[in-house]
Amino acid sequence: VVRPHFPVASRQRRKPRSIRCDYHSDHGEGRDGTPLRGAFTKGEREESTLLEERGCRFVSGAAFYRPESAQARDLAVLAALAYQRRTGRRFRVLDACSGSGVRGARYLHQAGVQSVWCNDYNSSNGGLLSANLRGVDDTLRTLTEDQADTENIEEAALEGLRGYARQGIVESVSTTEDEAKSPQTWRVSHYEALRLLTSRWLAEDYYDLVDVDSFGAQGSFTSAALGAVKHGGLLYLTCTDGLAASGRAPSTALIEYGTYTHPTPFANEQGLRMLIGSAVMEAARRGQTAKPIFSLFSAHGPVFRVMFEVRKGNDRTQLKDINFIAHCPTTVSCLVISLYSQRSLSYHTQTMITCVCVCVYLSV
């Protein structure tokens, strides 16, 4: 059967934008010596500028920041607010791949969580994360008071903020002093995300919300992230590999998510279901239940994001939703084949899963 080409989501490689800076860093190299995402080397220049997202001011610096992903962060903040009201407790949040730290800052200042641990493997982002988590407005206010005798107070404060963001620091700071309210704390670290998540499970240090905004197809994070979530907590997973989701790289989808994908006209939904199915199966292997709360597809990456509620115990009835999808490229018809029912699977296998055009379905 000849498979026609369908317009599907695919990863688009964008050209790096022209940037200026007033500092550089020698940190942030990978094992092969190449700069990490968000890192910048000697000769590259980028200016630390003040940005605002949904009322939250932060410094962009050289860290990775994508304004198009604001909607995904909106949903995360709303989920944290809703579940804090439901449970009656303030959340502890672990952000394993922080980038610029705007997500952690919004968890602190908009969702009102108790604590946020922001981790980014690029050690040169430490001061930047600290400045954003502390609060740009508070930092600027303090720096403005320190520069009271300077002619251009605002410019001096901004320069001081840039200097603060250049520092590679790791610290834990109290940001509220209201005795009637437990203080908010934040922490910055520079570990590999997989090691950090695994270490929290080994230390029995569990979090109410674990946010893993990884790059590409990172199915290996799922198990470690499930181990770091409290029972009844939330897990926010990401996939940005449009090739795997759209069936252009089926081997990658099989390795990372246990799903063999084909090109289909519903590639965006296929990518979300691939991510959901992988997390549900991994949770079942760990004796947990991962219930999808919401999913979001964004075309700018493409970015697939799914929020799960993780519970203790294995809900085997959820496995009935794990199925094959048979798709015919000629008639564009689909057939759902249940894996839970042996009768259903054996019946369709014996009949060769044919459709009205007398061709053999392509199982996805």
Side-chain angles (χ1 to χ4, degrees):
V1 178
V2 179
R3 305 177 198 167
H5 173 73
F6 291 101
V8 296
S10 61
R11 178 189 294 179
Q12 298 179 354
R13 298 186 179 275
R14 299 184 178 181
K15 295 182 180 180
R17 57 180 179 176
S18 299
I19 51 179
R20 297 185 300 109
C21 83
D22 55 0
Y23 65 97
H24 70 268
S25 171
D26 299 327
H27 302 286
E29 292 186 351
R31 293 178 180 177
D32 57 355
T34 58
L36 295 171
R37 177 192 62 165
F40 50 102
T41 58
K42 292 181 179 179
E44 293 180 322
R45 311 287 295 172
E46 180 163 327
E47 184 180 3
S48 296
T49 57
L50 279 174
L51 299 176
E52 183 173 342
E53 180 177 293
R54 308 293 195 257
C56 180
R57 301 178 72 193
F58 65 99
V59 183
S60 60
F64 180 83
Y65 169 67
R66 180 176 279 165
E68 297 88 350
S69 297
Q71 186 180 20
R73 291 185 281 270
D74 294 341
L75 294 173
V77 170
L78 290 173
L81 281 168
Y83 271 75
Q84 284 182 122
R85 291 176 182 176
R86 175 186 293 186
T87 60
R89 69 173 187 272
R90 298 172 70 194
F91 272 17
R92 297 175 66 233
V93 178
L94 176 59
D95 186 2
C97 307
S98 295
S100 65
V102 62
R103 184 169 45 251
R106 293 188 62 184
Y107 279 133
L108 273 176
H109 305 300
Q110 295 180 343
V113 300
Q114 180 180 348
S115 67
V116 171
W117 185 340
C118 282
N119 178 76
D120 192 88
Y121 189 52
N122 186 358
S123 59
S124 64
N125 288 346
L128 179 73
L129 288 169
S130 300
N132 290 334
L133 291 173
R134 179 183 178 184
V136 169
D137 293 332
D138 292 341
T139 306
L140 283 174
R141 189 181 304 111
T142 302
L143 292 172
T144 302
E145 293 173 355
D146 295 339
Q147 302 289 342
D149 298 331
T150 307
E151 293 182 2
N152 193 336
I153 296 178
E154 183 178 357
E155 182 59 31
L158 286 174
E159 182 59 32
L161 181 60
R162 291 174 186 143
Y164 186 75
R166 295 183 195 121
Q167 306 171 27
I169 57 177
V170 179
E171 59 178 310
S172 180
V173 176
S174 173
T175 60
T176 60
E177 299 179 355
D178 188 356
E179 296 181 356
K181 200 174 184 181
S182 58
Q184 289 181 294
T185 60
W186 51 265
R187 181 176 179 180
V188 174
S189 64
H190 306 289
Y191 304 110
E192 290 184 353
L194 190 59
R195 289 190 178 186
L196 174 63
L197 294 169
T198 304
S199 70
R200 296 306 88 205
W201 174 68
L202 292 173
E204 297 184 355
D205 180 23
Y206 306 114
Y207 288 78
D208 300 286
L209 195 160
V210 175
D211 194 322
V212 185
D213 189 12
S214 55
F215 179 77
Q218 297 291 346
S220 57
F221 287 152
T222 304
S223 179
L226 285 166
V229 183
K230 283 183 179 180
H231 296 315
L234 300 177
L235 173 61
Y236 205 15
L237 294 180
T238 310
C239 172
T240 63
D241 194 337
L243 295 177
S246 63
R248 303 300 177 184
S251 58
T252 302
L254 184 61
I255 292 171
E256 296 291 343
Y257 301 103
T259 304
Y260 195 87
T261 57
H262 280 293
T264 64
F266 46 88
N268 301 337
E269 182 180 353
Q270 179 176 255
L272 290 171
R273 292 185 180 277
M274 175 187 72
L275 183 57
I276 293 172
S278 173
V280 168
M281 292 298 292
E282 186 60 41
R285 281 188 286 269
R286 297 180 56 90
Q288 297 171 297
T289 298
K291 178 184 176 182
I293 303 300
F294 65 81
S295 60
L296 173 68
F297 167 77
S298 301
H300 61 265
V303 180
F304 305 88
R305 301 226 62 181
V306 182
M307 180 74 80
F308 298 89
E309 180 182 1
V310 181
R311 300 174 182 173
K312 182 180 180 181
N314 197 335
D315 184 4
R316 295 184 179 272
T317 60
Q318 194 179 31
L319 300 180
K320 294 182 180 180
D321 296 327
I322 303 295
N323 304 308
F324 278 129
I325 300 177
H327 169 249
C328 175
T330 303
T331 61
V332 200
S333 59
C334 298
L335 176 68
V336 177
I337 305 172
S338 175
L339 289 177
Y340 199 80
S341 172
Q342 294 183 357
R343 169 182 287 185
S344 173
L345 185 60
S346 62
Y347 170 76
H348 289 294
T349 303
Q350 292 172 3
T351 58
M352 297 184 63
I353 321 180
T354 57
C355 74
V356 294
C357 71
V358 199
C359 74
V360 178
Y361 269 112
L362 296 177
S363 296
V364 177

